[in-house]
Structures are given as C-alpha cells and as structure tokens.
Amino acid sequence: MSTYAQKKGFGATLWDYLTTVDHKKIAILYLIAGGFFFVVGGLEAVFIRIQLAVPNNDFVSAGLFNEIITMHGTTMIFLAAMPLVFAFMNAVMPLQIGARDVAFPFVNALGFWLFFFGGVFLNLSWFFDGAPDAGWTSYASLAMASKGHGVDFYVLGLQISGIGTLIGGINFLVTIINMRAPGMTYMRMPLFTWSTFVTSALILFAFPPLTVGLVLMMFDRMFGSNFFEASMGGNTVIWEHLFWIFGHPEVYILVLPAFGIFSEIFAMFSRKRLFGYSSMVFATVLIGFLGFMVWAHHMFTTGLGPVANAIFAVATMAIGVPTGIKIFNWLLTMWGGSVKFTTPMHYAVAFIPSFVAGGVTGVMLAAAAADYQYHDTYFVVAHFHYVIVGGVVFAILAGTHLYWPKMFGTMLNETLGKITFWLFFIGFHMTFFIQHFLGLWGMPRRVFTYLPGQGFETSNLISSLGAVFMSLGVIVLLYNVIMTSVKNERVGNDPWGDGRTLEWSLPSPPPFYNFKQLPLVRGLDAYWLEKMEGKKGMTPAEPLGDIHMPNASFLPFVIAFGLFVAAFGALFNMDDKAWSVPVIIIGLLITFGAMFLRSVKDDHGFHIHKEELMEDDNDKGVKA
Amino acid sequence: MHAEEKLTYETWPAEPEKSTLEAKNKFLGFWFFLGGETVLFASLFATYLALKDKVPDSTHHLAKDLFELPLTFVATMLLLTSSLTSVYAMYHMKNFNAKKMNLWLVITLLLGAAFLVLEIYEFNHYVHEFHHTFTSSAFGSAFYTLVGFHGGHVAFGLLWITTLIVRNAKRGLDLYNAPKFYVASLYWHFIDVVWVFIFTVVYLMGMVG
Amino acid sequence: MKRLAKWRLISVFAILSLILSGCGEPFLSTLRPAGEVADIQYDLMKLSTLIMVGVILVVMVIFFIVLIKFRRKDEKIPKQVEGSHKLEIIWTTIPILLLLLLAVPTVSATFKLADVSPMDKKDSDALVINVRSNLYWWEFEYPGQKIVTSQDLVVPTDEKVYFNLISSDVKHSFWIPAVGGKLDTNTENVNKFWLEFDSAKAEEAGDLFYGKCAELCGPSHALMDFKVKTMDRDDFDNWVANMKDVKEPAKADTALAQEGQEIFNKSCISCHAVTPTNATPPEARLAPNLSNFGERSRIAGVLDHNEEELKNWIRTPEKYKPGNLMTGKYPELSEDQLDALTEYLMGLKVQE
C-alpha cells in the first residue's frame, strides 16, 4: 500500500484526505487546519498590537477592534490550540500505546470535519455583516445586545465544532482503555498518553455545559426565549457559570497535553526516565479533578458574596501544589541527566521559567480580595498569555519540531528551529511581561484605545514591538516547513536517537496499520528498554496474522457539511429570509441522510492478509 | 470472534454486546457518551432551578399553579414500564431470540410513543390554559427547554430503535448488530433515569412550592 | 573614587525614578493605594509577590544548575532514577504551607471587603451612593441626600462610603483603581461594597481620581471613564446643600445663555435633567444629569472640559464615543445655536 501511495496525483491525494479514517492522516489534517487558524489568530493579535501601539490610535475602529479581540480569543482557543493539541494526540497517542488505530476511526474523522466546518463557519462571519464582538467569553448581556449576526456565528459555529471535540474526547478515552498493546498497563503509559486520557475526560465533562450555554443563547437570540433577559425574570449570571464551568477546565484541556509533550521531551533529551513518574500521573489526574472545582475564580467581581469567593480562592490556590510537583519533577528529570539542547528541548527549557511566571501570577490572582484589582485588567491578559503561550504554544511548537519526522518522515531544520525559538521567546516576554504592570497601573483589558497622560504609552509600545519578534519567529517556522518539505530528506525510525516510547520503534511515517505485530511492552519507556538491551526493535506479542482495518469513508465530511449548511439557514432565519427554512431542511437532510446511510449500510472494514504484510517487508528489503 | 460470523443458539456468547473489540469499544464509548449527557442534563437542571418561578409579573402562573399530579404520574408509569420492557428485549437478545426481542422492543416503542403524546398534550394544555409559553417568561423558557430536551431524546430514541428493528428484521441477530441493540437499550434506560429526576425536581418539587 | 560616588548617586536617582514610574500614576495606579480597601489589596499583592518570588528563586537556582552542569558531553547513558519519596514529600508540603500563609489573609480580607452591614442598618448615618451604569456613562445617586449627579462622583474623604451597583443595559464594572478593586454592575441584581478615600493620598492625586469601566460593554468600553472628586466632610456637606438648593432648572443669566436654555428645553431636556433632585424613576433617566455640568472635570468622561470640545462633542458624539446613545436623538444645530447652548451648559453650576 505504502508503495503506490507516493505515485498518487493531487486529486487522488485530496480524495484520500477527504475520506481518510487513519489517525495519522487525521492528525495531519488537524495540524494543517489548526496551523491555518493559528496564523489567522496571530494576524488578529498583530492588529490588536498595532492599534494599541500608541494612544488614541485609529488603525481600526472601536467596533472592529471588539470583533478582532473576540475572534482572536475564540480562534486561538477553539480553532488553533485545541486542534493542534488534537493533532499530536492523534499522531502519537495510538502509537504510544501500541494500537493500530483509535477505537472509532469513523468518529475520529467526523470529529475533525465537525471542528473544521464549525471553524470555517465562525470565520465566515467576517464576510457577512461582521464578526462576533462580545469577547470570547461572550457575556450574555452584551451578547444579547450585540447587533448583526456576529454572535449568532459564534453560537452556531462553536456548537458544531464543540460536538466534534466532544466525540474526539470520547474516542481517545475508549482507545486508551481498550486498545493498549499487551503489557501496556496504565502505569506504563507514557505521560503524553496519560495527559491525553485526563484531557479527554475533561472534554467529556466540560463541553456539555458550554453546549447548554450556547443553546440557551441561541434560543434567546433566535427564538425569543428569556434566559438572559432580566426584565422577563432571566439571569445573565447563569451564562457566566455555564461558560466558566466549561472555560476553566478548558485551560487544563489545553495545558495538560502541553505538560505531556514536555514530559516526553525532558525525558528524551536528558536520556533519563521521567523523575517521579507515578507522582506525575497523580498530579495530572489531580489537576484535572481540581480543574472542575475552581470556575468561579473568573467571577470574583460578579458579586457572588464572600463565602463563595473565599472557597473558590482557596480551591484555586490548591491547584498550585500539583503543578509545583510537576515543575520540580521536570527539573529533577534533567538533574543528573545528559541534556541535549535540540529545538524541542529549547522550548521545554524555556517553558519552565515562563510557565512558573504564569503559575505564580495565577496564585496571586487566586487571592480573591486582591483579584478585585487584577480582574479584567492587563494583568490578567499577561497572566493567561504566560500560561497559554508560555505553556501551550511553546508545547505546540516543541511538538511540531519533535513529531514532525514521525508525521512526515523528514526533519525540520534545527538551525532554523532555534532561530524561530529565540525570536518567539524574546518576542513573547517582551510583549507580555510589561502587561502585568500595565494592568496594575490601571489599564483595563479589551480597550480599543487609551488616552495619553495615564502612563501607558511606553509600555504599550514595547509590548507591540514584542509582537513583531513573535511574528518573525512564525515566519521563519513557515519557511522552515517549506524548505524541508521540498528537500524531503527521509529519516529512520528514531531520528532524534533518544526515543524512549513506542512511536520511535516504528518507521517514520509508520505504515497505515502501524504495527505489523503488536509489540510486547515490558515496562515504562518500552522502546528504550529494548534499545538498552541491544535490540533493534520491539519483541512482537503475537504471531504475524491478518490485520483488520476500517474502510475509508466520505460520510464524515458529508455529515459535518450538512450541519454547516443548516447553520447558515438558521442564522438567516432571524431575518425572515424566505430561503432560510429550505436551507435548514436541506442541511439537516444531508446530515441525517448521511447518518442514516451510515447506520443501515454495514461497514465491516477489510483485512490485510498475512501474505501482503510479508510482501511489504520484502519491498522494504529491496529499497534498503 | 468476528462480527460477521453466522452464529447459532449454541455458539451465541453470554455477553454478545461485548464479545468483539468493536463491540467493547462501542459499549464503553456509549457509557462515556451517557456521562457527557448527564452533565448536559445537569446543566439544564441547574438552569431550571435558577429560573424556576422567575416571571416578569404576578399575572404569570407559577409551578404550583401549573402542574397536575395524575397526568405526570401516568407519563412516569409509561416510561418506567417501557424501561422494563426493554430489559425483557435484552434478555431475549442474550438468548439469541430475535423474534421475541423485536416484540418487546415494539412494546417499548409503543409505551414511549404514548409518553410523548401525553407530553405534547401537557405542553398544549399549559400554553392554552395558562398562557405559559416558551417566550412568556424566563421560567417558561427554562421549563420547556429542560422537559423539551428530554422529549427530544425520547423522540430520537423512538426513531433509532425503529430503524434498528426495520434494518435487522430479516437477518436476525449477529455480533455486529447485538451491540447496537444493547446500546440503544442503554440509551433508553438513561432517558428513563433523566425522567425520574424531572418528575422529582420539576413536578413534585414544583407542586410543593 | 569621586567619579564612582557620582555614578552611584546618579544610579540611585535612576533606580528611584524607575521605581516611582514603576508604580504608575497616583490618581490611577493600584500600586499607589489611596484608601483602606486599596491598602488591604496592596498588602495582599505584596505578600503574594513575596512568596512567589521565593518560589521563583528556588526554581531558578535548580534550573540554572541543571542547565550548566548537566549538558551532554559524551554518549554515556545516565543512571535511570525512578524518583525520590523524600524530595516529593518536601515539594508537596512546603507549597501547601506557603499557600496557607497566603490563604488566611486572603479569606479574612475577602470577608472584610464584603462587609456592608452598616448600610442596611436602620438610621445609620453611613453615606450610601447608588451607582447606575449605562452605555458609556455613569450615574451617581445619593439616596440619603436625595440628589443625583453623573460622570463626576463626589465623595468625602476619610470615611467609609457604601455603594449599591446596578446596570441599566449591559454589564459594566465599577473601578477606581487607586482607591480599591472593582465590582461588576449586573443587569439583574444590586451588588454592594464599600470604599474609603484617604485625604493625604487624595491630595497627592490632586483630589481627582480616575474611574474606569472594567467589563467589555461595547465599542466605547475604553472611553467609559468617570472621575472622582474628593473633599473633606465639611466641603462635601456644603456641596450637598448647594445641590439640594437647585429645586428647579436654574435661570440662565446672559442673553446668549437664555437662548441656549431655550434650545436645551426644546432638544435636550427629554433625556437630560438639570435638577439634582429629579424625581424620575432610575430606569427612566436616559442620559447624564447635567445640573452641575459647568463644574465637571471632563466632557463625556473623556474630553477636556472647555467650550471647543463641548461643541465638538455636540456636533458629532459618534466620533468621540462610538456606539453612544446620544447620536441622532436631537436635530442638527447651527453654529450660532451651538454657541448659545455651550454658553448655557458651561454656566450650569451649583457652587458659587
């Protein structure tokens, strides 16, 4: 199979990706789509910084500015960071546990296409009368007052992509529970797999409240219900609760996989097993659990009263403990190790001070009474960018360099990688460190401009200059990707030479069935153990036999596309357009028709026979 | 065991819903899905409790004026019984008796449909007798959303089980469709449990004020 | 030697000015606390910063040792260490203790700042102010004194002032950074808190603090500023008495101003009141009360208080506060009419 994959034309490749249910190809789809939205969100960030570079600037208008900040936040969280994290989960997690695919390959593809069409739908708002402008938190009173269709795009787009994320989470949970290779016990799972597991559980429980909130807002805006209409008995604080019950775990949904990626990197490039593995697992689970207990710290100034504020303050501080455990474990993993400063390791090392800075300001924010001062100021902006850029984006960039050879079979250039790192690292601190002070000096967040004479000028200019460096870093990365793809120097199983976990025992990229024979796992860092005993690969746990594989399918694309069409109908139904109802019906017919087809048409998949697998072996023998 | 294998009463496994990897995955995945659904309904319940009896002025009816025990009691009984009949259906599924399974599933469907008819009657009654509508107050919005979401789940369950019966009417049971029947019945039980909570939180607690 | 001393002196000044500028403006910065609430919050900030700097130091020491000492020099495989229970217990317990150190004052401060019991007591002489936020302007009602003003909050120093906060339209947040943390103005319920304005610090700030809206509320969120005028209790009582004296719209004294008043009565008065004691229910007050407009510190909260800016504002409010609710509510005015209206408005003063 792999031999004629390379000869395919563009059309065939496109069709292949539109219909694929292979987790490795879906990972590439997530990487491309997420990367695209990352660039879009990044451009929006640059516009924000241009507008705020000098006081009383009129680069963009006030209304447009609010659209830009809303879309920057929404895009970066839902359409860039999450899919990019999903890309690595898809690419690596099944390989790490020794599985041939995820539990529900069809659902996996469906999840991607739902996210993709939800994201496209949301961004199309720019081309109809305006993007959402009520902030990524879309607080109900402002969102209800927002004119135009921006908020409707937000509500519908996020519902569609949210379903995609939810089923993705369920898929990973089942995969990790049911599909581990022989010997891969829970306490032998690599930490990235563990963080995928906990993250998926968080997704499962965090996304439904968001969905409910979005549905209520949709009902209010489109069908005249009164959930958030104070004069009719409604209450906008309900939205705040629902949003943050989702929104806080969301932070951990993003940052736990980042912790996972860094855990892999620290161990690999220190050539040492992760220090305190079991306490790392415990800390991951504990952070996930506590993540659900602290949502109201985003609402300290809402007026919940001192009792609620005090409880949530203390609960929030408690999260500092497991996070601290992790930091020290990472440091001690490097301690006594043999540390090699590859590009991924640069990010990992830089992550520690950056994330610690974000973490300590997190504890400061947890002190409720003091938070009355920090809340909704640039201090908060600085804090969460330290956590999300210093944690999540660093991890995504590190993961991109680390797993690139595994996903595409060729390395990214290390020199260019380090240039990207330094540009991004310097730009990041330059942009965000000063913002702590801007907040403390009294600058509220989400302001489209500021008046001179309040002491904000120099600092904002510095902050804007930092954004230039970050942009340059991203441009170098894009250049790196293009250059190395053109050169396309193929690499072997373990291009970094320090691989510890199962994915590095496979060819880069792995064959579409991953493992010819499922490997026998004898401990943590399974591949490392074999390497240390002088073996070249894993010991198989089963004789060579037929492999059962799922069929490719176009239906996931169609199901998601139907919802995309229906969402357009629903949106314009508010304007009493005559064509809107037929569009809703057509869209839903497409979706439910495709679901019906999926349900009544048996899909048993196919088998790769033993003989073909042996031929594959010979092919390679010839090539090598 | 492969999903497509033709099986007999003798070779039919004790747990047909979990005897292939695909079936195990489906079984576990569905439980997780129900976990997510639980949070979804929990959010709706919380919203309802926050907005219960929140109306713009005193001309609007409150929960204690609206609900009548006999009607909802009958509805509850219908749904509880349908849960029981779906258990019978699964019992016959495990005994490789497709005919009896289908019979019990049809009874389940009829009970579910009857429940739905009662619910539609009930909503209609509130709208016309009390002018308690989806848009009349925050209380109305929250009530119809919570109970309506559940009703929507019932309707979807009816469609789902009907499709399953029709699709598999001719070919009988195998390890490919057994897990499908099983998760559908799990879904049906879940709907039933949610209703028990609605009955308690919305109706019983509503009537005492 | 002498050169060195000189350098030292210069660097001391440099550091000093850096620190001072590092604390922001006295009328705006949370780092220049000007009242009990801000003091409590500043203390918490300092405490948490201190603890956290300690944590950062420990991490950074280990961090740099690792970076310097354990670089890869050869291909030797290091010893594979599983972990250390002793170390793990240490770095679990110490953070817990540190957090307790922070948690106790946090909880006590949280309760202290929420204590508004005096305002609910019968016959209490606590000063209560009802703050009502509207799309891009603030209204301040003194229920005990039965007067209403807007945009410039007037408060006495050195005593606790209690606030009831609510919003007319969308959610805003009431924040006077130098004096104390913010509290949201919700659409469905009244939030309560107190602040205290320190007279010495107020003097440093020119008796005028900057207030801000801290919750995104639409296009002009950034421009929804207000000002706080502080004065001692006697001056405050005096101001209240003067405000209460204005029982009906003051008669303009010059001919031009009288002409302006006529224009005002035709085009503006349906939204803007000019008596501090107006009896309109709070929800129906559509625009800022202008009784003491001539004594305000800013026009529309952000523009300099002079005739030119006032005319600019009346000509095209949309240009200065996008999305405001004043645009288009009144007929276009000729330049002559503007002159008259400006004359009238600038003459609206309650204090002699």
Side-chain angles (χ1 to χ4, degrees), chain C residues 266-287:
Chain C
K266 223 166 49 200
S267 310
C268 313
I269 207 158
S270 58
C271 297
H272 290 282
V274 279
T275 47
T277 51
N278 81 330
T280 328
E283 296 81 11
R285 298 178 200 146
L286 299 174

Side-chain angles (χ1 to χ4, degrees), chain A residues 104 178 224 226 232 600 602, chain B residues 25 135 138 141 145 167 171 176:
Chain A
F104 309 109
N178 276 356
N226 298 302
M232 298 294 272
V600 298
D602 289 358
Chain B
N25 287 346
T135 54
S141 305
T145 302
R167 173 66 185 91
R171 66 173 167 185
Y176 181 71

Side-chain angles (χ1 to χ4, degrees), chain A residues 123-418:
Chain A
N123 273 279
L124 282 180
S125 60
W126 287 114
F127 304 103
F128 294 82
D129 50 8
D133 58 357
W136 85 280
T137 53
S138 201
Y139 270 19
S141 62
L142 182 61
M144 296 306 302
S146 169
K147 296 192 180 66
H149 283 308
V151 172
D152 307 312
F153 273 103
Y154 171 95
V155 162
L156 289 164
L158 287 190
Q159 279 184 66
I160 296 174
S161 74
I163 301 169
T165 311
L166 181 73
I167 59 181
I170 292 178
N171 201 352
F172 291 142
L173 281 171
V174 176
T175 305
I176 292 172
I177 292 176
N178 276 356
M179 301 187 59
R180 282 166 290 129
M184 178 60 83
T185 59
Y186 284 106
M187 291 312 275
R188 284 178 184 173
M189 293 196 312
L191 216 76
F192 181 64
T193 297
W194 258 112
S195 64
T196 303
F197 187 67
V198 176
T199 298
S200 302
L202 292 182
I203 288 174
L204 177 63
F205 295 119
F207 267 72
L210 174 69
T211 306
V212 168
L214 292 171
V215 166
L216 302 187
M217 188 170 278
M218 177 176 80
F219 282 176
D220 264 18
R221 280 186 65 99
M222 298 186 187
F223 308 124
S225 60
N226 298 302
F227 291 100
F228 307 124
E229 184 54 55
S231 64
M232 298 294 272
N235 193 323
T236 57
V237 180
I238 292 175
W239 167 269
E240 291 180 36
H241 281 294
L242 288 174
F243 186 86
W244 287 117
I245 289 173
F246 148 78
H248 196 79
E250 171 70 17
V251 177
Y252 296 101
I253 289 170
L254 293 175
V255 91
L256 286 179
F259 289 173
I261 290 174
F262 285 131
S263 298
E264 304 292 314
I265 293 174
F266 281 122
M268 268 176 85
F269 297 112
S270 304
R271 285 200 175 153
K272 229 172 122 238
R273 72 172 264 164
L274 197 64
F275 192 88
Y277 170 83
S278 37
S279 74
M280 286 295 259
V281 170
F282 175 71
T284 307
V285 176
L286 191 64
I287 291 175
F289 178 76
L290 287 174
F292 277 101
M293 310 285 152
V294 298
W295 78 87
H297 68 219
H298 297 268
M299 301 163 64
F300 279 153
T301 65
T302 300
L304 301 177
V307 179
N309 282 0
I311 291 172
F312 280 99
V314 175
T316 304
M317 289 179 191
I319 291 189
V321 177
T323 315
I325 292 177
K326 279 179 165 280
I327 297 281
F328 287 112
N329 275 319
W330 286 320
L331 286 172
L332 267 281
T333 302
M334 290 193 283
W335 190 280
S338 166
V339 179
K340 186 180 178 191
F341 287 92
T342 58
T343 306
M345 194 61 171
H346 272 73
Y347 284 105
V349 166
F351 154 78
I352 288 191
S354 310
F355 192 81
V356 166
V360 297
T361 49
V363 175
M364 291 171 73
L365 283 159
D371 178 71
Y372 303 157
Q373 286 286 27
Y374 311 130
H375 180 81
D376 263 345
T377 68
Y378 260 85
F379 188 85
V380 174
V381 176
H383 158 73
F384 68 69
H385 281 96
Y386 261 82
V387 176
I388 291 183
V389 180
V392 184
V393 177
F394 277 18
I396 286 169
L397 292 172
T400 305
H401 288 88
L402 178 70
Y403 291 122
W404 195 266
K406 194 46 68 187
M407 292 172 81
F408 298 99
T410 182
M411 293 275 273
L412 287 175
N413 183 297
E414 276 287 282
T415 317
L416 288 175
K418 283 169 193 166

